[in-house]
Amino acid sequence: MTVLILGGTSEAAALDQHLAEQAPEIRAIISLAGHTVDPRPSNLPVRVGGFGGIEGLRQYLREEGVTAVVDATHPFAAIMPFNAEHACKAENVPLLAIRREPWQPQPGDRWEEVPDLEEAARALGPKPRHVFLTIGRLELPVFADAPHHHYLVRAIEPIGNRLPVPHVKVIQQRGPFHVDDEEALLRSEGIEVVVSKNSGGDGTAAKLVAARRLGLPVIMVERPPKPDVETVAHVDQVLPWLVAQGLFVTERGV
Protein backbone atom coordinates (compact mmCIF):
# COMPACT_ATOMS: atom_id res chain seq x y z
CA MET A 1 0.00 0.00 0.00
CA THR A 2 1.03 3.62 -0.47
CA VAL A 3 0.26 6.27 2.12
CA LEU A 4 0.59 9.97 1.30
CA ILE A 5 1.35 12.09 4.38
CA LEU A 6 0.57 15.77 3.97
CA GLY A 7 3.23 17.09 6.29
CA GLY A 8 4.72 20.17 7.83
CA THR A 9 4.16 19.47 11.53
CA SER A 10 5.84 17.61 14.37
CA GLU A 11 3.06 15.03 14.01
CA ALA A 12 4.11 14.36 10.43
CA ALA A 13 7.72 13.91 11.55
CA ALA A 14 6.60 11.57 14.34
CA LEU A 15 4.45 9.57 11.91
CA ASP A 16 7.45 9.31 9.60
CA GLN A 17 9.44 7.72 12.43
CA HIS A 18 6.51 5.57 13.60
CA LEU A 19 5.86 4.04 10.19
CA ALA A 20 9.56 3.46 9.54
CA GLU A 21 9.80 1.52 12.81
CA GLN A 22 6.42 -0.20 13.04
CA ALA A 23 5.40 -0.79 9.42
CA PRO A 24 8.42 -0.58 7.09
CA GLU A 25 6.50 -2.56 4.47
CA ILE A 26 4.20 0.41 3.90
CA ARG A 27 5.31 2.73 1.12
CA ALA A 28 4.87 6.18 2.60
CA ILE A 29 5.59 9.55 0.99
CA ILE A 30 5.74 12.84 2.86
CA SER A 31 4.59 15.93 0.99
CA LEU A 32 5.83 19.34 2.16
CA ALA A 33 4.56 22.68 0.94
CA GLY A 34 8.13 23.98 0.67
CA HIS A 35 7.71 27.00 2.96
CA THR A 36 10.66 25.81 5.07
CA VAL A 37 13.94 25.56 3.18
CA ASP A 38 15.56 23.39 5.86
CA PRO A 39 12.87 20.91 7.00
CA ARG A 40 13.38 18.20 9.59
CA PRO A 41 15.24 15.11 8.31
CA SER A 42 12.96 12.31 7.08
CA ASN A 43 13.17 8.54 7.02
CA LEU A 44 10.75 8.49 4.09
CA PRO A 45 10.74 9.83 0.53
CA VAL A 46 9.84 13.51 0.47
CA ARG A 47 8.17 15.56 -2.25
CA VAL A 48 8.19 19.34 -2.02
CA GLY A 49 5.77 21.85 -3.50
CA GLY A 50 2.10 22.18 -4.32
CA PHE A 51 0.02 19.74 -6.33
CA GLY A 52 -1.80 22.25 -8.47
CA GLY A 53 -5.09 22.37 -6.66
CA ILE A 54 -7.66 19.64 -6.31
CA GLU A 55 -7.22 18.28 -9.84
CA GLY A 56 -3.46 18.15 -9.48
CA LEU A 57 -3.79 16.22 -6.23
CA ARG A 58 -6.27 13.81 -7.82
CA GLN A 59 -3.80 13.13 -10.62
CA TYR A 60 -1.00 12.55 -8.11
CA LEU A 61 -3.12 10.07 -6.15
CA ARG A 62 -3.79 8.10 -9.33
CA GLU A 63 -0.24 8.20 -10.67
CA GLU A 64 1.33 7.10 -7.37
CA GLY A 65 -1.34 4.52 -6.59
CA VAL A 66 -2.05 6.16 -3.24
CA THR A 67 -4.34 3.99 -1.12
CA ALA A 68 -4.68 6.31 1.90
CA VAL A 69 -3.95 9.93 2.78
CA VAL A 70 -3.04 11.28 6.20
CA ASP A 71 -3.49 15.02 6.62
CA ALA A 72 -0.82 16.12 9.10
CA THR A 73 -0.68 19.72 7.90
CA HIS A 74 -0.31 22.67 10.25
CA PRO A 75 -3.40 23.68 12.25
CA PHE A 76 -3.35 26.96 10.31
CA ALA A 77 -3.24 25.33 6.88
CA ALA A 78 -6.39 26.76 5.33
CA ILE A 79 -6.44 25.34 1.79
CA MET A 80 -4.76 21.93 1.65
CA PRO A 81 -7.12 20.20 4.11
CA PHE A 82 -10.10 21.10 1.90
CA ASN A 83 -8.24 20.14 -1.28
CA ALA A 84 -7.42 16.79 0.30
CA GLU A 85 -11.04 16.24 1.30
CA HIS A 86 -12.33 16.89 -2.22
CA ALA A 87 -9.57 14.97 -4.02
CA CYS A 88 -9.83 11.92 -1.77
CA LYS A 89 -13.60 11.86 -2.04
CA ALA A 90 -13.40 12.08 -5.83
CA GLU A 91 -10.81 9.29 -6.05
CA ASN A 92 -12.40 7.16 -3.31
CA VAL A 93 -9.22 7.27 -1.22
CA PRO A 94 -9.61 7.09 2.59
CA LEU A 95 -8.53 10.26 4.36
CA LEU A 96 -7.53 10.70 8.00
CA ALA A 97 -6.59 14.00 9.67
CA ILE A 98 -4.28 14.32 12.65
CA ARG A 99 -5.40 17.37 14.59
CA ARG A 100 -3.75 18.33 17.83
CA GLU A 101 -5.85 19.94 20.53
CA PRO A 102 -5.75 23.75 20.66
CA TRP A 103 -4.36 25.50 23.70
CA GLN A 104 -6.88 26.56 26.32
CA PRO A 105 -6.48 29.55 28.62
CA GLN A 106 -5.42 28.65 32.14
CA PRO A 107 -5.94 30.51 35.43
CA GLY A 108 -3.74 33.59 35.36
CA ASP A 109 -3.70 33.89 31.57
CA ARG A 110 -4.56 37.25 29.99
CA TRP A 111 -5.67 36.17 26.53
CA GLU A 112 -7.44 38.25 23.94
CA GLU A 113 -8.72 35.84 21.31
CA VAL A 114 -9.07 37.22 17.79
CA PRO A 115 -10.31 35.59 14.57
CA ASP A 116 -7.35 36.41 12.32
CA LEU A 117 -3.97 38.09 12.08
CA GLU A 118 -5.38 41.35 10.73
CA GLU A 119 -7.43 41.68 13.90
CA ALA A 120 -4.35 40.75 15.96
CA ALA A 121 -2.43 43.66 14.42
CA ARG A 122 -5.29 46.03 15.21
CA ALA A 123 -5.53 44.68 18.78
CA LEU A 124 -2.01 45.93 19.50
CA GLY A 125 -3.48 49.42 19.62
CA PRO A 126 -2.14 52.88 18.79
CA LYS A 127 0.37 53.15 21.62
CA PRO A 128 3.86 51.78 20.76
CA ARG A 129 4.53 48.46 22.48
CA HIS A 130 7.28 45.85 22.56
CA VAL A 131 5.71 42.86 20.80
CA PHE A 132 6.86 39.25 20.59
CA LEU A 133 5.62 37.84 17.28
CA THR A 134 5.57 34.03 17.16
CA ILE A 135 3.43 33.50 14.09
CA GLY A 136 5.85 32.27 11.43
CA ARG A 137 7.47 34.39 8.75
CA LEU A 138 4.80 34.10 6.04
CA GLU A 139 2.19 36.13 7.93
CA LEU A 140 4.51 38.94 9.01
CA PRO A 141 3.45 41.47 6.31
CA VAL A 142 0.14 41.94 8.11
CA PHE A 143 1.97 43.79 10.89
CA ALA A 144 3.52 46.29 8.51
CA ASP A 145 0.23 48.16 8.94
CA ALA A 146 1.23 48.77 12.57
CA PRO A 147 4.79 50.10 12.12
CA HIS A 148 4.92 52.07 15.38
CA HIS A 149 5.57 49.00 17.54
CA HIS A 150 8.90 47.36 18.40
CA TYR A 151 8.81 43.78 17.15
CA LEU A 152 10.77 40.76 18.26
CA VAL A 153 10.22 38.06 15.63
CA ARG A 154 11.09 34.41 16.09
CA ALA A 155 11.27 32.32 12.94
CA ILE A 156 12.99 29.18 11.72
CA GLU A 157 14.45 30.94 8.69
CA PRO A 158 15.41 34.49 7.68
CA ILE A 159 12.39 36.75 7.16
CA GLY A 160 13.93 38.93 4.46
CA ASN A 161 11.90 42.12 3.99
CA ARG A 162 8.59 40.60 5.08
CA LEU A 163 8.23 43.07 7.95
CA PRO A 164 9.38 46.49 6.67
CA VAL A 165 9.04 48.51 9.89
CA PRO A 166 11.57 50.72 11.70
CA HIS A 167 11.98 48.53 14.77
CA VAL A 168 12.28 44.79 14.24
CA LYS A 169 14.66 42.22 15.71
CA VAL A 170 14.78 38.63 14.48
CA ILE A 171 15.91 35.50 16.26
CA GLN A 172 16.19 32.28 14.27
CA GLN A 173 15.24 29.27 16.37
CA ARG A 174 13.36 26.01 16.03
CA GLY A 175 11.44 24.54 18.98
CA PRO A 176 10.90 22.94 21.33
CA PHE A 177 11.41 25.77 23.77
CA HIS A 178 11.68 25.71 27.57
CA VAL A 179 9.76 27.87 30.02
CA ASP A 180 12.71 29.35 31.91
CA ASP A 181 14.42 30.29 28.64
CA GLU A 182 11.23 31.86 27.34
CA GLU A 183 10.74 33.86 30.52
CA ALA A 184 14.34 35.09 30.36
CA LEU A 185 13.83 36.13 26.73
CA LEU A 186 10.64 38.05 27.47
CA ARG A 187 12.34 39.84 30.37
CA SER A 188 15.54 40.71 28.53
CA GLU A 189 13.68 42.10 25.51
CA GLY A 190 11.19 44.08 27.59
CA ILE A 191 8.25 42.37 25.92
CA GLU A 192 4.86 43.86 26.75
CA VAL A 193 2.56 41.62 24.69
CA VAL A 194 2.83 38.25 22.93
CA VAL A 195 1.11 37.48 19.63
CA SER A 196 0.58 33.80 18.90
CA LYS A 197 -1.44 31.54 16.65
CA ASN A 198 -3.31 28.82 18.56
CA SER A 199 -1.29 25.99 17.08
CA GLY A 200 -1.50 23.75 20.16
CA GLY A 201 1.09 21.12 21.01
CA ASP A 202 4.02 21.09 23.39
CA GLY A 203 6.84 22.42 21.22
CA THR A 204 6.02 26.13 21.57
CA ALA A 205 3.65 26.20 24.56
CA ALA A 206 6.39 27.42 26.91
CA LYS A 207 5.96 31.01 25.75
CA LEU A 208 2.40 30.96 27.11
CA VAL A 209 3.54 29.70 30.50
CA ALA A 210 6.24 32.38 30.55
CA ALA A 211 3.70 35.08 29.68
CA ARG A 212 1.46 33.79 32.48
CA ARG A 213 4.33 33.96 34.97
CA LEU A 214 5.06 37.55 34.00
CA GLY A 215 1.42 38.62 33.79
CA LEU A 216 1.76 39.57 30.13
CA PRO A 217 -1.21 39.77 27.76
CA VAL A 218 -1.38 37.33 24.85
CA ILE A 219 -3.22 38.06 21.62
CA MET A 220 -4.26 34.58 20.50
CA VAL A 221 -5.31 34.01 16.89
CA GLU A 222 -8.01 31.38 16.44
CA ARG A 223 -7.64 28.54 13.94
CA PRO A 224 -9.23 28.64 10.49
CA PRO A 225 -12.10 26.27 9.66
CA LYS A 226 -11.31 22.65 8.76
CA PRO A 227 -13.28 20.11 6.73
CA ASP A 228 -15.41 17.57 8.54
CA VAL A 229 -13.33 14.42 8.02
CA GLU A 230 -12.32 11.51 10.22
CA THR A 231 -9.86 12.77 12.79
CA VAL A 232 -7.44 11.45 15.40
CA ALA A 233 -5.27 13.33 17.89
CA HIS A 234 -2.20 11.08 18.04
CA VAL A 235 0.20 9.46 15.60
CA ASP A 236 -0.16 6.02 17.18
CA GLN A 237 -3.80 5.96 16.09
CA VAL A 238 -2.90 5.93 12.39
CA LEU A 239 -1.93 2.27 12.01
CA PRO A 240 -5.12 1.05 13.76
CA TRP A 241 -7.07 3.27 11.38
CA LEU A 242 -5.34 1.72 8.36
CA VAL A 243 -6.19 -1.71 9.73
CA ALA A 244 -9.82 -0.69 10.26
CA GLN A 245 -9.98 0.48 6.64
CA GLY A 246 -8.89 -2.99 5.53
CA LEU A 247 -5.76 -1.49 3.98
CA PHE A 248 -3.14 -3.05 6.22
CA VAL A 249 -2.73 -6.14 8.37
CA THR A 250 -0.07 -6.27 11.05
CA GLU A 251 1.89 -9.40 11.91
CA ARG A 252 -0.52 -9.92 14.78
CA GLY A 253 -3.49 -9.48 12.48
CA VAL A 254 -4.77 -6.40 14.32
Side-chain angles (χ1 to χ4, degrees):
M1 64 174 299
T2 298
V3 176
L4 175 63
I5 302 168
L6 303 175
T9 58
S10 58
E11 286 82 4
L15 182 57
D16 169 345
Q17 183 71 23
H18 185 69
L19 291 181
E21 293 176 352
Q22 302 296 324
E25 62 270 43
I26 292 178
R27 176 178 180 248
I29 304 168
I30 291 186
S31 175
L32 301 176
H35 298 316
T36 301
V37 176
D38 184 24
R40 292 181 174 90
S42 173
N43 298 290
L44 303 173
V46 176
R47 70 168 302 279
V48 178
F51 292 96
I54 296 171
E55 291 305 314
L57 180 53
R58 289 184 62 182
Q59 181 178 348
Y60 184 85
L61 297 178
R62 293 192 300 267
E63 290 178 350
E64 294 293 331
V66 173
T67 47
V69 175
V70 177
D71 176 8
T73 54
H74 192 273
F76 277 77
I79 298 175
M80 180 54 76
F82 287 96
N83 286 355
E85 178 197 27
H86 293 307
C88 287
K89 188 174 294 183
E91 297 299 323
N92 197 30
V93 173
L95 170 65
L96 180 70
I98 303 176
R99 294 189 187 148
R100 69 178 77 140
E101 291 295 320
W103 293 313
Q104 299 294 335
Q106 304 298 314
D109 282 334
R110 296 174 56 199
W111 286 16
E112 179 180 353
E113 297 182 84
V114 296
D116 52 43
L117 286 159
E118 287 78 10
E119 190 60 35
R122 286 190 287 270
L124 291 174
K127 180 182 177 181
R129 307 168 82 181
H130 284 76
V131 182
F132 186 27
L133 286 182
T134 62
I135 59 170
R137 63 189 177 91
L138 298 181
E139 290 87 1
L140 290 173
V142 171
F143 291 87
D145 291 335
H148 51 291
H149 300 296
H150 291 70
Y151 292 104
L152 174 66
V153 176
R154 182 162 63 198
I156 296 175
E157 295 174 349
I159 69 169
N161 62 351
R162 290 182 178 275
L163 186 55
V165 296
H167 306 289
V168 57
K169 177 179 178 179
V170 181
I171 50 176
Q172 286 185 235
Q173 292 178 323
R174 188 197 297 267
F177 303 104
H178 303 286
V179 175
D180 289 344
D181 295 335
E182 294 288 74
E183 182 176 348
L185 176 65
L186 296 179
R187 286 183 182 277
S188 66
E189 296 293 339
I191 297 300
E192 298 171 276
V193 58
V194 176
V195 179
S196 172
K197 298 188 295 188
N198 195 338
S199 301
D202 298 328
T204 59
K207 64 189 174 188
L208 304 178
V209 180
R212 186 186 312 137
R213 286 182 179 179
L214 298 174
L216 296 179
V218 175
I219 299 173
M220 185 64 75
V221 182
E222 299 170 354
R223 297 179 179 186
K226 297 289 185 179
D228 184 15
V229 301
E230 191 168 356
T231 302
V232 296
H234 302 289
V235 166
D236 58 10
Q237 295 172 279
V238 173
L239 276 179
W241 176 79
L242 292 173
V243 172
Q245 301 299 310
L247 298 173
F248 180 66
V249 178
T250 67
E251 292 180 357
R252 294 170 293 178
V254 295

